[in-house]
Amino acid sequence: MSTDSKFVQSCVFSIPGPIEVTDEVLFANAHPSMSHMSPDFARVFGDCIRMTRQLLYSEDAQPFLIAGSGTLGWDQVSANLVEPGENALVLHSGYFADSFADCLQTYGANVDQIKAEIGGAVKEADIESALQAKKYKIVTVTHVDTSTAVLSDIKAIANVVKRVSPDTLVVVDAVCSVASEEIQMDAWGIDVVLTASQKGLGTPPGLSILVASQKAVQVFENRSTPVTTYYGSWKKWLPVMKAYENNTAAYFATPPVNLIYAFHASLTQIMQGSVSLEQRFKLHKEVSRRVKKAAEEIGFKGVPLSEDVQANGMSALYFPDGFTASDIVPRLLKKDVVVAGGLHASIKDKYFRIGHMGVSVVDPSRGDIDKVISAVKESLAEAKVSKQ
Amino acid sequence: MSTDSKFVQSCVFSIPGPIEVTDEVLFANAHPSMSHMSPDFARVFGDCIRMTRQLLYSEDAQPFLIAGSGTLGWDQVSANLVEPGENALVLHSGYFADSFADCLQTYGANVDQIKAEIGGAVKEADIESALQAKKYKIVTVTHVDTSTAVLSDIKAIANVVKRVSPDTLVVVDAVCSVASEEIQMDAWGIDVVLTASQKGLGTPPGLSILVASQKAVQVFENRSTPVTTYYGSWKKWLPVMKAYENNTAAYFATPPVNLIYAFHASLTQIMQGSVSLEQRFKLHKEVSRRVKKAAEEIGFKGVPLSEDVQANGMSALYFPDGFTASDIVPRLLKKDVVVAGGLHASIKDKYFRIGHMGVSVVDPSRGDIDKVISAVKESLAEAKVSKQ
């Protein structure tokens, strides 16, 4: 590891996850070994469950915190909420909808997709038509698709679903939005928010975080067929989560103890730090506007087709005409700014992605965002010179 | 966390997982954020794959390192290697066989169990009879059942399977044995070793580690029905593991980056440290004998029925007649020694469990084992006095 230690110390790590995390979170991740059955750990786990619920503005939704990546949330939804042969409607605003659909099909769902054009979100009128034509057990929407930086209006979508097909569960893939975009589960009528630790939540990767409304829990409990996963089964995890929320340990599988300490440290900063949750969302909007404006002024163009579908925790930017990833990304890296390449297959080489979430946004004294903006400007200028 | 910081600093943490980990491992777990797609991380991941294979004395078996607990290994076996309606034979030497059977049934296997008496391992003659009576796709055995501290002779069992039913895959649940008990995958003909990070491997919990023989990979590739899990699908993970082994990043789900750094640090100590792997196994045997002898001399009795089925990385000890957990365990805790209670339902309150794995065993300068033995002796003496 010695070869990269200089690199990681001095760089601005600006990909859309894993994001930069605070020293307090890293310190917590190095917590000495603790028993997952100890009262001390149970209290910390219980705090995480309570704070996760609060973060989503819910009174009574049920969090599930399980060792795994964000992907495990798809399995949980597909295997606990949808029974084989039932219908699922997947709203497609980028790469991750294809994968969610693939997961649903693995567990036996009949999947229909509504695909937005690249850079767009699915239109409410199209959702309404689909819901009128067929009965769906769930509708899934990617809140921010990390491949396109497209933000879907989950409040409006939930509203359409409640109006047209009130029994249908609204499932939000919020891996790239929790803690950088506002989500009001109860007020908006969202049934599932699934996410992961390494993006807006500012914790190292390895924790699957899913929050289910009581309505979703009821649907799970009223299944007529057995749950089709073992590791992701809510039958196994629900009693464990309830026990930990009562500050009592319970066992199904060993939780990722250190990561729970790290998550606790980050949630504490998010929920009880000097920047309020509302202010956090506001800062993400401001920084997002600043990054996008600076990039557009020098010829980059956002992948999202209009301002109302632009994510606030990341930007996906087409290179200016005549430039490609190889002109820009290596130059950014030389300036110690780490960004992500394209991910959406159809436009992979035409754009790149910048993450602006978490501590880089809420702590301007780090200078992360300024450094990224300057580096993008300088890199393009250098690329122009090299082509002359 | 302030309330428990004194506690965790000074105690001897002696449960059968999570175990004490070295400072180097904790430091690696606090690695600053890194991209899972970076060449630096890919090299570290690749090293972990190679060292995991070496640890199991295999030339060509395929490791899978996935965010999750050890339980995820059961899902991987059940959903990738067994097709719905196929037969699985589960050898039962404690609590964990029931769970593995439950997992196999969740994914559609027909499960038969051979149950040993409590404290015993399943007899080879019984395995032979079962294999002669019915065709099984897999036989599963818990190498060390953490609920009983019973060690099964996986070399002999694999031998029986190869002789009687050579197509049947030998699957070893080695969560509580890898790096504390010898496992020679190739020489003994083991097809799957599944484990987790937090026991003999001396890493915080949250990483599912599974190694499949090329024969098992072939069985997976020749399936006639689709894989029945998404998150645990080898179809998704096999190309990712192959890419990382070539020191190239590939994406299915975000790996637990920090935990991979921690695992790398621990594997490096295990495979390249001053104590050889062979010496490590020898030390586990010596320490195990010492702990068991000391406990038996003062009236504790091992749960395993005979010496040949005693695990070397942990002890399960019946309390002396007239004493219960409440006489001993709280007294141990007052002496800063953390042990685990009973887990096997039939004998839950009659015994307790001590872990002696990893750094506590290979670094005698820590004094962990001496402290545990003294504390057990003192606690029993005090309990006797209090009953007079």
Side-chain angles (χ1 to χ4, degrees):
Chain A
M1 274 174 298
S2 56
T3 54
D4 58 51
S5 58
K6 185 213 145 272
F7 172 75
V8 295
Q9 296 301 327
S10 61
C11 80
V12 178
F13 193 68
S14 194
I15 67 174
I19 69 165
E20 292 273 0
V21 307
T22 65
D23 291 345
E24 291 78 6
V25 171
L26 286 183
F27 183 74
N29 209 40
H31 194 287
S33 291
M34 277 292 286
S35 169
H36 51 297
M37 303 305 285
S38 69
D40 284 319
F41 175 69
R43 187 175 43 76
V44 170
F45 202 127
D47 283 348
C48 287
I49 291 173
R50 287 180 284 273
M51 287 192 281
T52 300
R53 182 185 291 123
Q54 285 163 15
L55 175 69
L56 298 170
Y57 297 87
S58 178
E59 289 290 326
D60 63 356
Q62 178 61 55
F64 293 87
L65 312 179
I66 308 178
S69 83
T71 298
L72 182 63
W74 296 338
D75 285 69
Q76 288 184 62
V77 167
S78 306
N80 289 289
L81 291 178
V82 187
E83 300 189 47
E86 290 184 333
N87 300 322
L89 181 64
V90 172
L91 309 184
H92 187 294
S93 54
Y95 173 91
F96 290 92
D98 287 322
S99 303
F100 201 163
D102 187 7
C103 180
L104 282 158
Q105 285 164 337
T106 298
Y107 290 97
N110 297 320
V111 177
D112 293 324
Q113 286 202 49
I114 308 179
K115 294 202 180 197
E117 60 187 320
I118 293 173
V122 176
K123 291 184 170 52
E124 288 157 42
D126 294 339
I127 302 168
E128 181 155 356
S129 304
L131 291 173
Q132 278 161 346
K134 200 190 274 191
K135 183 84 185 169
Y136 290 98
K137 185 74 172 286
I138 65 169
V139 171
T140 79
V141 52
T142 317
H143 196 189
V144 170
D145 197 293
T146 318
S147 74
T148 55
V150 165
L151 174 73
S152 289
D153 185 345
I154 57 170
K155 183 181 177 182
I157 291 168
N159 210 28
V160 171
V161 177
K162 298 303 150 198
R163 183 163 49 77
V164 183
S165 179
D167 290 342
T168 302
L169 298 174
V170 178
V171 174
V172 178
D173 177 341
V175 170
C176 197
S177 69
V178 169
S180 55
E181 308 282 353
E182 187 180 13
I183 303 176
Q184 298 219 11
M185 269 193 90
D186 291 1
W188 299 353
I190 310 286
D191 294 301
V192 172
V193 172
L194 66 91
T195 189
S197 48
Q198 77 276 10
K199 303 207 180 194
L201 288 168
T203 307
L207 189 63
S208 160
I209 298 147
L210 184 148
V211 187
S213 70
Q214 284 304 321
K215 181 179 162 190
V217 172
Q218 276 303 313
V219 166
F220 154 72
E221 284 178 345
N222 294 336
R223 285 179 70 95
S224 57
T225 57
V227 171
T228 51
T229 175
Y230 184 77
Y231 184 61
S233 171
W234 292 355
K235 205 174 146 196
K236 307 293 183 186
W237 285 115
L238 194 53
V240 173
M241 295 302 146
K242 286 182 173 172
Y244 275 115
E245 181 151 12
N246 286 326
N247 298 339
T248 310
Y251 180 73
F252 166 57
T254 306
V257 175
N258 287 51
L259 207 48
I260 293 289
Y261 278 108
F263 187 43
H264 187 269
S266 189
L267 280 172
T268 304
Q269 291 178 330
I270 291 171
M271 300 305 290
Q272 297 162 29
S274 56
V275 175
S276 73
L277 193 54
E278 291 69 26
Q279 182 68 7
R280 176 174 289 263
F281 296 137
K282 196 162 160 266
L283 286 170
H284 277 81
K285 282 185 182 169
E286 286 172 11
V287 164
S288 177
R289 269 196 294 266
R290 191 146 66 86
V291 170
K292 288 169 172 69
K293 190 161 169 275
E296 283 164 9
E297 277 173 1
I298 55 172
F300 291 88
K301 190 167 154 281
V303 173
L305 296 171
S306 58
E307 207 172 323
D308 59 321
V309 294
Q310 279 177 350
N312 295 298
M314 67 172 292
S315 297
L317 298 162
Y318 288 112
F319 299 110
D321 285 342
F323 296 90
T324 65
S326 60
D327 297 313
I328 307 295
V329 177
R331 289 193 163 89
L332 286 170
L333 203 55
K334 273 194 191 153
K335 298 177 203 306
D336 287 335
V337 169
V338 184
V339 298
L343 179 60
H344 195 297
S346 318
I347 53 173
K348 198 172 186 317
D349 299 322
K350 297 182 180 168
Y351 78 116
F352 75 115
R353 299 172 300 147
I354 301 175
H356 30 80
M357 287 178 255
V359 68
S360 293
V361 167
V362 299
D363 181 0
S365 73
R366 296 171 58 106
D368 290 353
I369 303 301
D370 294 333
K371 192 164 177 186
V372 171
I373 290 175
S374 303
V376 169
K377 285 182 180 170
E378 289 164 21
S379 296
L380 179 61
E382 288 168 18
K384 281 182 177 169
V385 169
S386 79
K387 285 189 190 279
Q388 279 169 354
Chain B
M1 278 172 294
S2 56
T3 54
D4 58 52
S5 58
K6 183 214 145 274
F7 173 74
V8 295
Q9 296 301 327
S10 62
C11 81
V12 178
F13 193 67
S14 193
I15 67 173
I19 69 165
E20 292 273 359
V21 306
T22 65
D23 291 345
E24 290 78 6
V25 170
L26 285 183
F27 183 74
N29 209 39
H31 195 287
S33 291
M34 278 292 285
S35 170
H36 50 298
M37 303 304 286
S38 68
D40 284 318
F41 175 70
R43 188 176 42 78
V44 170
F45 202 126
D47 283 348
C48 288
I49 291 173
R50 287 180 284 273
M51 286 192 280
T52 299
R53 182 186 291 121
Q54 285 163 16
L55 175 68
L56 298 170
Y57 296 86
S58 179
E59 289 291 325
D60 63 356
Q62 178 61 54
F64 294 88
L65 311 180
I66 307 178
S69 82
T71 298
L72 183 63
W74 295 339
D75 285 70
Q76 288 183 64
V77 168
S78 306
N80 289 288
L81 290 179
V82 186
E83 301 190 47
E86 290 183 333
N87 300 323
L89 180 64
V90 172
L91 308 184
H92 186 293
S93 53
Y95 173 91
F96 289 92
D98 287 322
S99 304
F100 200 163
D102 187 9
C103 180
L104 283 158
Q105 284 164 339
T106 299
Y107 289 97
N110 297 322
V111 177
D112 293 324
Q113 287 203 48
I114 308 179
K115 294 204 180 195
E117 58 186 322
I118 294 172
V122 176
K123 291 182 172 50
E124 288 156 42
D126 294 340
I127 302 169
E128 181 156 355
S129 304
L131 291 173
Q132 277 162 346
K134 200 189 272 190
K135 182 85 185 168
Y136 290 99
K137 186 73 171 288
I138 64 169
V139 171
T140 78
V141 52
T142 317
H143 196 188
V144 170
D145 196 293
T146 318
S147 73
T148 56
V150 165
L151 174 73
S152 289
D153 185 345
I154 57 171
K155 183 181 176 183
I157 291 170
N159 210 28
V160 171
V161 177
K162 297 302 150 200
R163 183 162 49 77
V164 183
S165 180
D167 289 344
T168 302
L169 297 174
V170 178
V171 174
V172 177
D173 176 341
V175 170
C176 197
S177 69
V178 168
S180 54
E181 308 281 354
E182 187 180 13
I183 303 176
Q184 297 220 10
M185 271 192 89
D186 291 1
W188 300 353
I190 311 286
D191 294 302
V192 173
V193 171
L194 65 91
T195 190
S197 48
Q198 77 275 9
K199 303 207 180 194
L201 288 168
T203 308
L207 189 63
S208 160
I209 299 147
L210 184 148
V211 186
S213 69
Q214 285 304 322
K215 181 179 161 190
V217 172
Q218 276 304 313
V219 166
F220 154 72
E221 283 177 345
N222 293 336
R223 283 180 69 96
S224 57
T225 57
V227 171
T228 51
T229 174
Y230 184 75
Y231 184 61
S233 171
W234 291 354
K235 205 174 147 196
K236 305 294 182 185
W237 286 115
L238 194 54
V240 173
M241 295 301 146
K242 285 182 173 172
Y244 275 114
E245 182 151 13
N246 286 325
N247 299 339
T248 310
Y251 179 73
F252 166 57
T254 306
V257 175
N258 288 52
L259 206 47
I260 293 289
Y261 278 107
F263 187 43
H264 187 270
S266 188
L267 279 172
T268 304
Q269 291 179 329
I270 291 171
M271 301 304 291
Q272 297 162 28
S274 56
V275 175
S276 73
L277 194 53
E278 290 70 24
Q279 181 68 6
R280 176 173 290 262
F281 296 137
K282 195 161 158 267
L283 286 170
H284 278 80
K285 282 186 183 169
E286 286 171 10
V287 164
S288 177
R289 269 196 293 265
R290 191 146 66 87
V291 170
K292 288 169 173 69
K293 188 159 168 277
E296 284 164 9
E297 276 173 1
I298 55 171
F300 291 89
K301 190 167 153 284
V303 172
L305 296 172
S306 58
E307 208 172 321
D308 59 319
V309 294
Q310 280 177 351
N312 295 299
M314 67 172 293
S315 298
L317 298 162
Y318 287 113
F319 298 110
D321 284 343
F323 296 90
T324 65
S326 60
D327 297 312
I328 308 295
V329 176
R331 287 194 165 90
L332 287 170
L333 203 55
K334 272 194 190 151
K335 297 178 205 307
D336 287 336
V337 169
V338 183
V339 297
L343 180 58
H344 194 297
S346 318
I347 53 172
K348 197 171 186 318
D349 298 322
K350 297 181 180 167
Y351 78 115
F352 76 116
R353 298 172 300 145
I354 301 174
H356 30 82
M357 287 177 256
V359 68
S360 293
V361 167
V362 299
D363 181 359
S365 74
R366 296 170 60 105
D368 291 354
I369 303 300
D370 294 333
K371 193 166 176 185
V372 171
I373 290 176
S374 303
V376 169
K377 285 182 182 171
E378 289 164 22
S379 296
L380 179 61
E382 289 168 18
K384 281 182 178 170
V385 169
S386 79
K387 283 190 190 280
Q388 280 169 351

